[in-house]
Amino acid sequence: MLAPPLRQQSLGAGRVSQPPCGRRTRTRSVTMLLHRAVIPHLRQACRLKSAPSRLYIRACSTDDSLQPQCPSLAFSGDNSSTGGWKVMGTLLGLGAVLAYHDHRCRATQESPHVYTREEVRSHSSPETRIWVTLGCEVFDVTEFVDLHPGGPSKLMLAAGGPLEPFWALYAVHNQPHVREMLAQYKIGELSPEDKVTSTLKTSDPYIDDPVRHPALKVNSQRPFNAEPPPELLTENYITPNPIFFTRNHLPVPNLDPETYRLHVVGPPGGQSLCLSLDDLYKFPKHEITVTLQCAGNRRSEMTQFKEVRGLEWNIGAISTARWAGARLCDVLAKAGHQLCETEAHVCFEGLDSDPTGTAYGASIPLARAMDPEAEVLLAYEMNGQPLPRDHGFPVRVVVPGVVGARHVKWLGKVSVEPEESYSHWQRRDYKGFSPSVDWDTVDFDSAPSIQELPVQSAITEPKDGETVQSGEVTIKGYAWSGGGRAVVRVDVSLDGGLTWHVAELDGEEQRPRKAWAWRLWQLQAPVPAGRKELNIVCKAIDDSYNVQPDTVAPIWNLRGVLSNAWHRVHVHVAP
């Protein structure tokens, strides 16, 4: 359980090594099977009469409401037969089994089975069952291994040992629904004499993370993910480096620029490159202003409609910077790559990794990477300075007009492959689905990976719940669209969408089909006389006349990505 888990799916076959008492679901199954299969046949085998000797059957269950109310079964001396005695013998045997099962259930409820750490260590493979510990509790997670969203290999790292050192890398596990799911696999507890070993006191993988600006609103500490507050987000067209939103998936690597090398795999017949920073500086330097947006920006609004899995981003998982570096197409050409008729993808691999050595990875189509007009960069500068560590020092990918998940940081390797990256974050995340799809029915292979993002806008001032003065109100915000599509208009309403005003657009002039950066906008509008509240709404339109949907409902999806409904802010008007 080392990556955000899916909802529990149905379990496999019975255990090889059973805990003293089966799970509640297994007990219910035994009870219902007895009630449905055995009782009807008994009624056919014998008549129900009053007699001195009666046999009562009671099934073991942790839920008394599920126990069938079985009538007494009597055998008259006049009507007894060989078949009747066979039935009675069967019942006695079955009763003994159920009584023993009931005894084990009660014993378990009274005192959980206790295991030593040595016993846990001996269960570290599918053949011996896969056990793990968390605190003083022991769990058999054999059936969950193949269902683990991060892959079986991640969970197998903890096989026969504690989860804590690995959960330290993914703080998302410390949530109630994860704990509840794990609890279903509990089989006992560690022996009190078996003290927690020093292996739990592992070094903190995040201890070397950089210092962050205190104004950032933190959505998770480990890994670090944070956004600027709305009131600072649009203070400047170019977002200052310290408050640029941060999206990390793993601990931040501390790389030495002197020993850093970027490996670019060449094609058959070409040459692979091993580039230092100085080597990258020799390529023509290219500079562009680009807005980066996380796929989960504004996820919190989807959560308000219906629960989703993911970080609770507000409207600040988006920022803009001036990036400089070598064009990816120049570097690929140097290695001998060129466009081909068959589909191909450029795969990026970061130098941030988990305990298995698995790095963050992503990919983009080769056609975009090789197009000089797409201006994909291997960036080493951000706003005129070397990249900050949180933003990919010393080299990161910048893919204008494309979701932030493909802008791989701490870049270590570039290769051209016939298929897109096999990274978890390319194949099993950052995809959109119908509102009807849930965690029991989702098929990640059925949906394309997010590349270009839809048109987006949000209100940064005033804030929701704020009190504004009567007379005139100033409203500010941002608007952006993926794929280089320019924002041509932002409409703002003060009455929830009944009437509209056109906002004034600020910022750099946008080039046709190369509008890589956002437009800031503002509107000064009179407050209608007598109004005590304003329901402010904004929506943006791009040069393809794409427009934001009015509500979250039709675009809701289980991961909470692509959230771009009309942004709404409710404010009070001072008397």
Side-chain angles (χ1 to χ4, degrees):
M1 297 182 181
L2 305 174
L6 302 178
R7 185 176 297 172
Q8 182 190 4
Q9 300 182 30
S10 59
L11 302 180
R15 300 177 187 276
V16 174
S17 175
Q18 292 285 355
C21 180
R23 293 198 190 102
R24 175 175 296 186
T25 52
R26 185 179 294 113
T27 302
R28 288 178 177 174
S29 297
V30 171
T31 303
M32 297 309 296
L33 181 61
L34 173 66
H35 184 55
R36 294 175 182 174
V38 177
I39 299 303
H41 292 293
L42 291 174
R43 287 172 175 166
Q44 293 176 7
C46 56
R47 297 284 184 180
L48 301 179
K49 298 182 179 179
S50 58
S53 62
R54 300 178 183 272
L55 175 65
Y56 294 91
I57 300 176
R58 181 179 183 277
C60 168
S61 173
T62 56
D63 186 348
D64 290 339
S65 65
L66 289 179
Q67 293 175 8
Q69 301 300 314
C70 301
S72 60
L73 304 178
F75 297 93
S76 168
D78 296 336
N79 299 323
S80 61
S81 65
T82 302
W85 287 111
K86 286 182 179 180
V87 170
M88 188 170 184
T90 301
L91 286 173
L92 288 171
L94 180 58
V97 171
L98 290 172
Y100 178 64
H101 180 67
D102 181 65
H103 168 74
R104 297 183 71 189
C105 287
R106 292 179 183 277
T108 299
Q109 292 167 1
E110 293 170 2
S111 58
H113 195 81
V114 176
Y115 299 97
T116 65
R117 200 169 287 279
E118 187 63 33
E119 285 180 288
V120 174
R121 276 195 290 269
S122 69
H123 292 77
S124 58
S125 69
E127 292 74 26
T128 60
R129 309 291 296 175
I130 299 161
W131 291 9
V132 295
T133 66
L134 185 67
C136 63
E137 297 178 302
V138 181
F139 306 88
D140 182 341
V141 295
T142 309
E143 282 93 355
F144 184 75
V145 171
D146 288 335
L147 307 178
H148 189 252
S153 63
K154 301 290 195 307
L155 186 49
M156 287 300 294
L157 287 173
L163 288 169
E164 284 92 336
F166 305 98
W167 277 26
L169 282 172
Y170 301 98
V172 70
H173 289 88
N174 293 309
Q175 296 187 34
H177 76 271
V178 181
R179 297 283 183 151
E180 289 171 10
M181 184 184 69
L182 181 62
Q184 298 178 55
Y185 294 92
K186 181 176 177 179
I187 58 172
E189 296 184 356
L190 283 172
S191 168
E193 291 77 26
D194 200 350
K195 301 290 186 181
V196 176
T197 65
S198 59
T199 58
L200 293 183
K201 300 178 181 178
T202 55
S203 60
D204 183 352
Y206 295 95
I207 198 168
D208 198 34
D209 269 16
V211 176
R212 279 88 181 204
H213 195 283
L216 290 172
K217 178 187 177 296
V218 179
N219 289 319
S220 76
Q221 283 283 2
R222 300 161 182 258
F224 187 79
N225 291 280
E227 60 188 296
E231 58 269 28
L232 294 183
L233 184 59
T234 52
E235 278 291 301
N236 301 284
Y237 179 72
I238 298 295
T239 311
N241 289 357
I243 63 168
F244 198 99
F245 92 94
T246 301
R247 176 66 174 110
N248 295 334
H249 296 82
L250 297 161
V252 175
N254 196 354
L255 304 175
D256 183 352
E258 296 299 320
T259 59
Y260 169 80
R261 295 294 182 270
L262 172 62
H263 298 274
V264 182
V265 179
Q271 60 174 356
S272 294
L273 307 177
C274 184
L275 303 174
S276 65
L277 271 178
D278 286 337
D279 293 329
L280 278 175
Y281 297 154
K282 294 174 184 176
F283 286 89
K285 185 177 182 179
H286 191 69
E287 294 189 45
I288 46 172
T289 303
V290 176
T291 294
L292 269 63
Q293 181 180 220
C294 178
N297 192 30
R298 299 180 59 196
R299 177 181 283 129
S300 58
E301 294 166 53
M302 282 197 174
T303 302
Q304 291 171 14
F305 175 75
K306 184 180 177 182
E307 183 183 1
V308 300
R309 300 274 178 87
L311 296 171
E312 286 290 291
W313 294 107
N314 192 7
I315 64 170
I318 183 171
S319 299
T320 299
R322 184 76 176 169
W323 309 91
R327 292 191 305 180
L328 177 59
C329 61
D330 294 338
V331 175
L332 290 175
K334 181 73 172 178
H337 289 288
Q338 56 186 357
L339 281 174
C340 53
E341 295 182 359
T342 57
E343 182 182 7
H345 302 261
V346 178
C347 298
F348 307 114
E349 189 174 291
L351 293 170
D352 51 335
S353 60
D354 65 17
T356 68
T358 302
Y360 183 85
S363 60
I364 61 173
L366 176 63
R368 183 184 291 273
M370 292 296 295
D371 183 1
E373 295 299 306
E375 302 185 280
V376 182
L377 290 186
L378 302 181
Y380 44 75
E381 286 184 7
M382 178 180 179
N383 294 333
Q385 301 175 352
L387 294 175
R389 281 185 60 207
D390 258 334
H391 299 292
F393 179 83
V395 177
R396 74 172 299 164
V397 182
V398 174
V399 191
V402 168
V403 64
R406 314 302 168 216
H407 298 234
V408 176
K409 300 188 282 189
W410 312 290
L411 187 63
K413 181 181 177 183
V414 178
S415 63
V416 177
E417 309 292 346
E419 296 187 26
E420 66 178 1
S421 170
Y422 280 94
S423 166
H424 166 83
W425 293 279
Q426 186 82 23
R427 298 288 183 115
R428 292 293 179 268
D429 203 350
Y430 299 120
K431 295 185 176 186
F433 296 94
S434 166
S436 64
V437 174
D438 60 25
W439 287 106
D440 292 326
T441 60
V442 64
D443 176 9
F444 278 93
D445 292 327
S446 68
S449 302
I450 299 171
Q451 293 285 341
E452 297 179 0
L453 287 169
V455 64
Q456 176 72 282
S457 71
I459 300 162
T460 57
E461 293 183 40
K463 292 189 295 184
D464 191 58
E466 189 175 323
T467 298
V468 300
Q469 296 301 312
S470 58
E472 190 174 69
V473 61
T474 298
I475 306 166
K476 297 181 179 180
Y478 65 77
W480 180 78
S481 191
R485 293 178 289 275
V487 170
V488 296
R489 193 177 81 240
V490 173
D491 296 331
V492 181
S493 174
L494 304 185
D495 53 16
L498 298 177
T499 61
W500 296 90
H501 307 264
V502 177
E504 179 183 348
L505 301 179
D506 300 323
E508 292 181 1
E509 194 65 30
Q510 297 189 320
R511 299 170 292 169
R513 314 309 299 171
K514 298 173 73 172
W516 308 131
W518 61 12
R519 300 299 298 267
L520 302 185
W521 56 265
Q522 63 175 327
L523 172 73
Q524 290 183 320
V527 176
R531 294 293 294 272
K532 297 181 179 180
E533 301 178 332
L534 298 177
N535 293 312
I536 306 174
V537 178
C538 73
K539 60 182 175 73
I541 299 92
D542 67 21
D543 60 10
S544 294
Y545 286 97
N546 297 308
V547 65
Q548 295 171 250
D550 59 343
T551 65
V552 166
I555 60 171
W556 183 93
N557 58 88
L558 75 175
R559 277 290 282 121
V561 295
L562 307 169
S563 181
N564 73 324
W566 294 358
H567 188 224
R568 301 168 185 270
V569 169
H570 180 265
V571 300
H572 306 282
V573 179

